[in-house]
Amino acid sequence: MRVRVLGSAAGGGFPQWNCNCTNCYGVRSGKINARARTQSSIAVSVDDERWILFNASPDIRAQLESFPAIQPRGLRGTGIHAVVLVDSQIDHSTGLLMLREGCPFPVYTTEMVYQDLSTGFPIFEILKSWDGGIDHRLLAIDGQSFQVDGAERLRMTAIALSGKAPPYSPHRHDPHPGDNIGIFIEDTVDGSKLFYAPGLADVDARLLKIMDESDCVLVDGTFWQEDEMIVAGVGSKLAGEMGHLPQSGAGGMIEKLRLLDRQRKVLIHINNTNPILVEDSPQRAVLDKEGIEVSYDGMQIDLGRHAEEGDGARLAREAMAHA
């Protein structure tokens, strides 16, 4: 299984267009050791030809232009085989509008996300004007796995997570299972497993078991601390109120990930205020010591057979360098 991080930032990207917090100002001016990031999305493939896109951010066009493997095949085409949405947030779904020329294409969502994107934020209705719009496929949240036609080697399971629906959702103040999900992905040939959850309000025993079964966990890295937005002077909400488990503090993401001992641990969906964006920050040093990585745009994660091939190529290069 090969994973490409198309975008690694939270909503608004980094730097955020209207923000001059310490991080955003620092990266614009070159005064901090950090790299710019687009809004979070990943692509997964087992053959480097058919890619499943997980979330479609507003930055999708730039992300696709930076990734040759997913660019047009023939006169017109794409390496995108299907799209899976983990929620109906603007920063995870607006990119569907940028993909309108490719309609109809399969989009997998839960019933709750389908309702949101057909009513409160009616992207699916808008796209009907392009060759009938998207080909919607319903995701079950009862533990039943699913496979994408033509990419059956990947077996996926939607995991219902706690959290809020977006502000425009008809049931914003009436949470339902399926408003937010994580995805457990298994390569049925080499057995490699990935757990992807860019938004996590908590990691309970059920989730910890799923993460422990994975070779790599690519999870919520939004905030370093619970009151980060307040401390940065750019907001009044706590991380928990926004549906995100901060890295630091009692019961935080660092403590949860410490319970995993063999998995590759990678943070994604990183807010522009988070000090871990600064590569030589004390907070980043804490993550390094814990063996926790911070994703970046263009990062490639190879699991199973792909990882072995990657190691082989690296060893061959090293041998040639010492010949």
Side-chain angles (χ1 to χ4, degrees), residues 96-113:
L96 293 176
L97 296 174
M98 316 307 167
L99 301 177
R100 61 191 179 275
E101 292 88 356
C103 286
F105 53 88
V107 177
Y108 292 73
T109 79
T110 65
E111 175 61 29
M112 291 300 103
V113 170

mmCIF file with all atom_site columns, all heavy atoms in Angstrom, residues 96-113:
data_model
loop_
_atom_site.group_PDB
_atom_site.id
_atom_site.type_symbol
_atom_site.label_atom_id
_atom_site.label_alt_id
_atom_site.label_comp_id
_atom_site.label_asym_id
_atom_site.label_entity_id
_atom_site.label_seq_id
_atom_site.pdbx_PDB_ins_code
_atom_site.Cartn_x
_atom_site.Cartn_y
_atom_site.Cartn_z
_atom_site.occupancy
_atom_site.B_iso_or_equiv
_atom_site.pdbx_formal_charge
_atom_site.auth_seq_id
_atom_site.auth_comp_id
_atom_site.auth_asym_id
_atom_site.auth_atom_id
_atom_site.pdbx_PDB_model_num
ATOM 1   N N   . LEU A 1 96  ? -14.567 18.725 -4.359  1.00 0.00 ? 96  LEU A N   1
ATOM 2   C CA  . LEU A 1 96  ? -15.419 18.030 -5.333  1.00 0.00 ? 96  LEU A CA  1
ATOM 3   C C   . LEU A 1 96  ? -15.857 18.970 -6.450  1.00 0.00 ? 96  LEU A C   1
ATOM 4   O O   . LEU A 1 96  ? -16.009 18.553 -7.605  1.00 0.00 ? 96  LEU A O   1
ATOM 5   C CB  . LEU A 1 96  ? -16.649 17.442 -4.637  1.00 0.00 ? 96  LEU A CB  1
ATOM 6   C CG  . LEU A 1 96  ? -16.401 16.305 -3.630  1.00 0.00 ? 96  LEU A CG  1
ATOM 7   C CD1 . LEU A 1 96  ? -17.715 15.907 -2.977  1.00 0.00 ? 96  LEU A CD1 1
ATOM 8   C CD2 . LEU A 1 96  ? -15.756 15.112 -4.320  1.00 0.00 ? 96  LEU A CD2 1
ATOM 9   N N   . LEU A 1 97  ? -16.059 20.235 -6.117  1.00 0.00 ? 97  LEU A N   1
ATOM 10  C CA  . LEU A 1 97  ? -16.450 21.214 -7.140  1.00 0.00 ? 97  LEU A CA  1
ATOM 11  C C   . LEU A 1 97  ? -15.343 21.401 -8.168  1.00 0.00 ? 97  LEU A C   1
ATOM 12  O O   . LEU A 1 97  ? -15.620 21.647 -9.347  1.00 0.00 ? 97  LEU A O   1
ATOM 13  C CB  . LEU A 1 97  ? -16.798 22.549 -6.483  1.00 0.00 ? 97  LEU A CB  1
ATOM 14  C CG  . LEU A 1 97  ? -18.003 22.548 -5.542  1.00 0.00 ? 97  LEU A CG  1
ATOM 15  C CD1 . LEU A 1 97  ? -18.147 23.904 -4.846  1.00 0.00 ? 97  LEU A CD1 1
ATOM 16  C CD2 . LEU A 1 97  ? -19.278 22.202 -6.296  1.00 0.00 ? 97  LEU A CD2 1
ATOM 17  N N   . MET A 1 98  ? -14.085 21.299 -7.726  1.00 0.00 ? 98  MET A N   1
ATOM 18  C CA  . MET A 1 98  ? -12.956 21.461 -8.635  1.00 0.00 ? 98  MET A CA  1
ATOM 19  C C   . MET A 1 98  ? -12.790 20.243 -9.544  1.00 0.00 ? 98  MET A C   1
ATOM 20  O O   . MET A 1 98  ? -12.104 20.315 -10.564 1.00 0.00 ? 98  MET A O   1
ATOM 21  C CB  . MET A 1 98  ? -11.653 21.683 -7.844  1.00 0.00 ? 98  MET A CB  1
ATOM 22  C CG  . MET A 1 98  ? -11.766 22.652 -6.690  1.00 0.00 ? 98  MET A CG  1
ATOM 23  S SD  . MET A 1 98  ? -12.472 24.241 -7.148  1.00 0.00 ? 98  MET A SD  1
ATOM 24  C CE  . MET A 1 98  ? -12.815 24.910 -5.517  1.00 0.00 ? 98  MET A CE  1
ATOM 25  N N   . LEU A 1 99  ? -13.421 19.129 -9.170  1.00 0.00 ? 99  LEU A N   1
ATOM 26  C CA  . LEU A 1 99  ? -13.313 17.903 -9.961  1.00 0.00 ? 99  LEU A CA  1
ATOM 27  C C   . LEU A 1 99  ? -14.511 17.721 -10.890 1.00 0.00 ? 99  LEU A C   1
ATOM 28  O O   . LEU A 1 99  ? -14.684 16.654 -11.479 1.00 0.00 ? 99  LEU A O   1
ATOM 29  C CB  . LEU A 1 99  ? -13.216 16.692 -9.024  1.00 0.00 ? 99  LEU A CB  1
ATOM 30  C CG  . LEU A 1 99  ? -12.040 16.672 -8.049  1.00 0.00 ? 99  LEU A CG  1
ATOM 31  C CD1 . LEU A 1 99  ? -12.136 15.444 -7.141  1.00 0.00 ? 99  LEU A CD1 1
ATOM 32  C CD2 . LEU A 1 99  ? -10.709 16.698 -8.773  1.00 0.00 ? 99  LEU A CD2 1
ATOM 33  N N   . ARG A 1 100 ? -15.328 18.762 -11.050 1.00 0.00 ? 100 ARG A N   1
ATOM 34  C CA  . ARG A 1 100 ? -16.610 18.635 -11.769 1.00 0.00 ? 100 ARG A CA  1
ATOM 35  C C   . ARG A 1 100 ? -16.460 18.147 -13.203 1.00 0.00 ? 100 ARG A C   1
ATOM 36  O O   . ARG A 1 100 ? -17.340 17.454 -13.719 1.00 0.00 ? 100 ARG A O   1
ATOM 37  C CB  . ARG A 1 100 ? -17.349 19.975 -11.753 1.00 0.00 ? 100 ARG A CB  1
ATOM 38  C CG  . ARG A 1 100 ? -16.596 21.116 -12.425 1.00 0.00 ? 100 ARG A CG  1
ATOM 39  C CD  . ARG A 1 100 ? -17.248 22.468 -12.139 1.00 0.00 ? 100 ARG A CD  1
ATOM 40  N NE  . ARG A 1 100 ? -16.532 23.576 -12.759 1.00 0.00 ? 100 ARG A NE  1
ATOM 41  C CZ  . ARG A 1 100 ? -15.478 24.185 -12.200 1.00 0.00 ? 100 ARG A CZ  1
ATOM 42  N NH1 . ARG A 1 100 ? -15.028 23.781 -11.025 1.00 0.00 ? 100 ARG A NH1 1
ATOM 43  N NH2 . ARG A 1 100 ? -14.876 25.187 -12.818 1.00 0.00 ? 100 ARG A NH2 1
ATOM 44  N N   . GLU A 1 101 ? -15.328 18.475 -13.857 1.00 0.00 ? 101 GLU A N   1
ATOM 45  C CA  . GLU A 1 101 ? -15.164 18.031 -15.247 1.00 0.00 ? 101 GLU A CA  1
ATOM 46  C C   . GLU A 1 101 ? -15.050 16.510 -15.351 1.00 0.00 ? 101 GLU A C   1
ATOM 47  O O   . GLU A 1 101 ? -15.185 15.955 -16.440 1.00 0.00 ? 101 GLU A O   1
ATOM 48  C CB  . GLU A 1 101 ? -13.920 18.680 -15.870 1.00 0.00 ? 101 GLU A CB  1
ATOM 49  C CG  . GLU A 1 101 ? -14.030 20.187 -16.076 1.00 0.00 ? 101 GLU A CG  1
ATOM 50  C CD  . GLU A 1 101 ? -13.597 20.992 -14.857 1.00 0.00 ? 101 GLU A CD  1
ATOM 51  O OE1 . GLU A 1 101 ? -13.279 20.354 -13.826 1.00 0.00 ? 101 GLU A OE1 1
ATOM 52  O OE2 . GLU A 1 101 ? -13.567 22.235 -14.930 1.00 0.00 ? 101 GLU A OE2 1
ATOM 53  N N   . GLY A 1 102 ? -14.792 15.848 -14.218 1.00 0.00 ? 102 GLY A N   1
ATOM 54  C CA  . GLY A 1 102 ? -14.657 14.402 -14.243 1.00 0.00 ? 102 GLY A CA  1
ATOM 55  C C   . GLY A 1 102 ? -15.939 13.655 -13.931 1.00 0.00 ? 102 GLY A C   1
ATOM 56  O O   . GLY A 1 102 ? -15.940 12.421 -13.870 1.00 0.00 ? 102 GLY A O   1
ATOM 57  N N   . CYS A 1 103 ? -17.025 14.379 -13.735 1.00 0.00 ? 103 CYS A N   1
ATOM 58  C CA  . CYS A 1 103 ? -18.310 13.730 -13.425 1.00 0.00 ? 103 CYS A CA  1
ATOM 59  C C   . CYS A 1 103 ? -18.767 12.842 -14.591 1.00 0.00 ? 103 CYS A C   1
ATOM 60  O O   . CYS A 1 103 ? -18.535 13.181 -15.754 1.00 0.00 ? 103 CYS A O   1
ATOM 61  C CB  . CYS A 1 103 ? -19.379 14.787 -13.143 1.00 0.00 ? 103 CYS A CB  1
ATOM 62  S SG  . CYS A 1 103 ? -19.211 15.603 -11.556 1.00 0.00 ? 103 CYS A SG  1
ATOM 63  N N   . PRO A 1 104 ? -19.442 11.731 -14.277 1.00 0.00 ? 104 PRO A N   1
ATOM 64  C CA  . PRO A 1 104 ? -19.716 11.225 -12.922 1.00 0.00 ? 104 PRO A CA  1
ATOM 65  C C   . PRO A 1 104 ? -18.556 10.377 -12.404 1.00 0.00 ? 104 PRO A C   1
ATOM 66  O O   . PRO A 1 104 ? -17.917 9.674  -13.169 1.00 0.00 ? 104 PRO A O   1
ATOM 67  C CB  . PRO A 1 104 ? -20.963 10.371 -13.125 1.00 0.00 ? 104 PRO A CB  1
ATOM 68  C CG  . PRO A 1 104 ? -20.823 9.856  -14.528 1.00 0.00 ? 104 PRO A CG  1
ATOM 69  C CD  . PRO A 1 104 ? -20.123 10.948 -15.315 1.00 0.00 ? 104 PRO A CD  1
ATOM 70  N N   . PHE A 1 105 ? -18.267 10.476 -11.119 1.00 0.00 ? 105 PHE A N   1
ATOM 71  C CA  . PHE A 1 105 ? -17.256 9.638  -10.504 1.00 0.00 ? 105 PHE A CA  1
ATOM 72  C C   . PHE A 1 105 ? -17.770 9.190  -9.139  1.00 0.00 ? 105 PHE A C   1
ATOM 73  O O   . PHE A 1 105 ? -18.603 9.867  -8.522  1.00 0.00 ? 105 PHE A O   1
ATOM 74  C CB  . PHE A 1 105 ? -15.910 10.371 -10.371 1.00 0.00 ? 105 PHE A CB  1
ATOM 75  C CG  . PHE A 1 105 ? -15.996 11.714 -9.685  1.00 0.00 ? 105 PHE A CG  1
ATOM 76  C CD1 . PHE A 1 105 ? -15.904 11.812 -8.302  1.00 0.00 ? 105 PHE A CD1 1
ATOM 77  C CD2 . PHE A 1 105 ? -16.159 12.883 -10.422 1.00 0.00 ? 105 PHE A CD2 1
ATOM 78  C CE1 . PHE A 1 105 ? -15.981 13.040 -7.671  1.00 0.00 ? 105 PHE A CE1 1
ATOM 79  C CE2 . PHE A 1 105 ? -16.236 14.119 -9.799  1.00 0.00 ? 105 PHE A CE2 1
ATOM 80  C CZ  . PHE A 1 105 ? -16.142 14.202 -8.425  1.00 0.00 ? 105 PHE A CZ  1
ATOM 81  N N   . PRO A 1 106 ? -17.317 8.035  -8.656  1.00 0.00 ? 106 PRO A N   1
ATOM 82  C CA  . PRO A 1 106 ? -17.844 7.501  -7.400  1.00 0.00 ? 106 PRO A CA  1
ATOM 83  C C   . PRO A 1 106 ? -17.345 8.264  -6.176  1.00 0.00 ? 106 PRO A C   1
ATOM 84  O O   . PRO A 1 106 ? -16.142 8.523  -6.050  1.00 0.00 ? 106 PRO A O   1
ATOM 85  C CB  . PRO A 1 106 ? -17.362 6.052  -7.389  1.00 0.00 ? 106 PRO A CB  1
ATOM 86  C CG  . PRO A 1 106 ? -16.233 5.999  -8.339  1.00 0.00 ? 106 PRO A CG  1
ATOM 87  C CD  . PRO A 1 106 ? -16.410 7.096  -9.326  1.00 0.00 ? 106 PRO A CD  1
ATOM 88  N N   . VAL A 1 107 ? -18.283 8.620  -5.304  1.00 0.00 ? 107 VAL A N   1
ATOM 89  C CA  . VAL A 1 107 ? -17.960 9.279  -4.043  1.00 0.00 ? 107 VAL A CA  1
ATOM 90  C C   . VAL A 1 107 ? -18.630 8.497  -2.922  1.00 0.00 ? 107 VAL A C   1
ATOM 91  O O   . VAL A 1 107 ? -19.851 8.313  -2.932  1.00 0.00 ? 107 VAL A O   1
ATOM 92  C CB  . VAL A 1 107 ? -18.433 10.749 -4.025  1.00 0.00 ? 107 VAL A CB  1
ATOM 93  C CG1 . VAL A 1 107 ? -18.139 11.379 -2.666  1.00 0.00 ? 107 VAL A CG1 1
ATOM 94  C CG2 . VAL A 1 107 ? -17.756 11.556 -5.127  1.00 0.00 ? 107 VAL A CG2 1
ATOM 95  N N   . TYR A 1 108 ? -17.839 8.051  -1.968  1.00 0.00 ? 108 TYR A N   1
ATOM 96  C CA  . TYR A 1 108 ? -18.329 7.247  -0.856  1.00 0.00 ? 108 TYR A CA  1
ATOM 97  C C   . TYR A 1 108 ? -18.503 8.124  0.386   1.00 0.00 ? 108 TYR A C   1
ATOM 98  O O   . TYR A 1 108 ? -17.553 8.811  0.802   1.00 0.00 ? 108 TYR A O   1
ATOM 99  C CB  . TYR A 1 108 ? -17.345 6.122  -0.543  1.00 0.00 ? 108 TYR A CB  1
ATOM 100 C CG  . TYR A 1 108 ? -17.247 5.062  -1.606  1.00 0.00 ? 108 TYR A CG  1
ATOM 101 C CD1 . TYR A 1 108 ? -16.595 5.306  -2.813  1.00 0.00 ? 108 TYR A CD1 1
ATOM 102 C CD2 . TYR A 1 108 ? -17.804 3.797  -1.407  1.00 0.00 ? 108 TYR A CD2 1
ATOM 103 C CE1 . TYR A 1 108 ? -16.498 4.326  -3.801  1.00 0.00 ? 108 TYR A CE1 1
ATOM 104 C CE2 . TYR A 1 108 ? -17.716 2.810  -2.386  1.00 0.00 ? 108 TYR A CE2 1
ATOM 105 C CZ  . TYR A 1 108 ? -17.058 3.088  -3.575  1.00 0.00 ? 108 TYR A CZ  1
ATOM 106 O OH  . TYR A 1 108 ? -16.966 2.115  -4.551  1.00 0.00 ? 108 TYR A OH  1
ATOM 107 N N   . THR A 1 109 ? -19.702 8.111  0.970   1.00 0.00 ? 109 THR A N   1
ATOM 108 C CA  . THR A 1 109 ? -19.963 8.854  2.200   1.00 0.00 ? 109 THR A CA  1
ATOM 109 C C   . THR A 1 109 ? -20.948 8.094  3.068   1.00 0.00 ? 109 THR A C   1
ATOM 110 O O   . THR A 1 109 ? -21.669 7.210  2.587   1.00 0.00 ? 109 THR A O   1
ATOM 111 C CB  . THR A 1 109 ? -20.570 10.254 1.929   1.00 0.00 ? 109 THR A CB  1
ATOM 112 O OG1 . THR A 1 109 ? -21.979 10.125 1.652   1.00 0.00 ? 109 THR A OG1 1
ATOM 113 C CG2 . THR A 1 109 ? -19.897 10.966 0.779   1.00 0.00 ? 109 THR A CG2 1
ATOM 114 N N   . THR A 1 110 ? -21.027 8.480  4.329   1.00 0.00 ? 110 THR A N   1
ATOM 115 C CA  . THR A 1 110 ? -22.082 7.963  5.196   1.00 0.00 ? 110 THR A CA  1
ATOM 116 C C   . THR A 1 110 ? -23.393 8.668  4.836   1.00 0.00 ? 110 THR A C   1
ATOM 117 O O   . THR A 1 110 ? -23.405 9.677  4.107   1.00 0.00 ? 110 THR A O   1
ATOM 118 C CB  . THR A 1 110 ? -21.771 8.232  6.675   1.00 0.00 ? 110 THR A CB  1
ATOM 119 O OG1 . THR A 1 110 ? -21.766 9.658  6.900   1.00 0.00 ? 110 THR A OG1 1
ATOM 120 C CG2 . THR A 1 110 ? -20.420 7.654  7.063   1.00 0.00 ? 110 THR A CG2 1
ATOM 121 N N   . GLU A 1 111 ? -24.481 8.162  5.373   1.00 0.00 ? 111 GLU A N   1
ATOM 122 C CA  . GLU A 1 111 ? -25.786 8.776  5.137   1.00 0.00 ? 111 GLU A CA  1
ATOM 123 C C   . GLU A 1 111 ? -25.828 10.202 5.682   1.00 0.00 ? 111 GLU A C   1
ATOM 124 O O   . GLU A 1 111 ? -26.397 11.097 5.051   1.00 0.00 ? 111 GLU A O   1
ATOM 125 C CB  . GLU A 1 111 ? -26.886 7.939  5.796   1.00 0.00 ? 111 GLU A CB  1
ATOM 126 C CG  . GLU A 1 111 ? -28.285 8.551  5.709   1.00 0.00 ? 111 GLU A CG  1
ATOM 127 C CD  . GLU A 1 111 ? -28.774 8.748  4.278   1.00 0.00 ? 111 GLU A CD  1
ATOM 128 O OE1 . GLU A 1 111 ? -28.354 7.975  3.395   1.00 0.00 ? 111 GLU A OE1 1
ATOM 129 O OE2 . GLU A 1 111 ? -29.577 9.683  4.050   1.00 0.00 ? 111 GLU A OE2 1
ATOM 130 N N   . MET A 1 112 ? -25.221 10.444 6.844   1.00 0.00 ? 112 MET A N   1
ATOM 131 C CA  . MET A 1 112 ? -25.231 11.779 7.436   1.00 0.00 ? 112 MET A CA  1
ATOM 132 C C   . MET A 1 112 ? -24.480 12.787 6.562   1.00 0.00 ? 112 MET A C   1
ATOM 133 O O   . MET A 1 112 ? -24.928 13.907 6.361   1.00 0.00 ? 112 MET A O   1
ATOM 134 C CB  . MET A 1 112 ? -24.616 11.737 8.839   1.00 0.00 ? 112 MET A CB  1
ATOM 135 C CG  . MET A 1 112 ? -25.450 11.010 9.874   1.00 0.00 ? 112 MET A CG  1
ATOM 136 S SD  . MET A 1 112 ? -27.091 11.761 10.114  1.00 0.00 ? 112 MET A SD  1
ATOM 137 C CE  . MET A 1 112 ? -28.123 10.620 9.188   1.00 0.00 ? 112 MET A CE  1
ATOM 138 N N   . VAL A 1 113 ? -23.331 12.368 6.048   1.00 0.00 ? 113 VAL A N   1
ATOM 139 C CA  . VAL A 1 113 ? -22.554 13.258 5.178   1.00 0.00 ? 113 VAL A CA  1
ATOM 140 C C   . VAL A 1 113 ? -23.306 13.506 3.875   1.00 0.00 ? 113 VAL A C   1
ATOM 141 O O   . VAL A 1 113 ? -23.332 14.633 3.356   1.00 0.00 ? 113 VAL A O   1
ATOM 142 C CB  . VAL A 1 113 ? -21.157 12.662 4.913   1.00 0.00 ? 113 VAL A CB  1
ATOM 143 C CG1 . VAL A 1 113 ? -20.425 13.440 3.813   1.00 0.00 ? 113 VAL A CG1 1
ATOM 144 C CG2 . VAL A 1 113 ? -20.336 12.675 6.188   1.00 0.00 ? 113 VAL A CG2 1
#
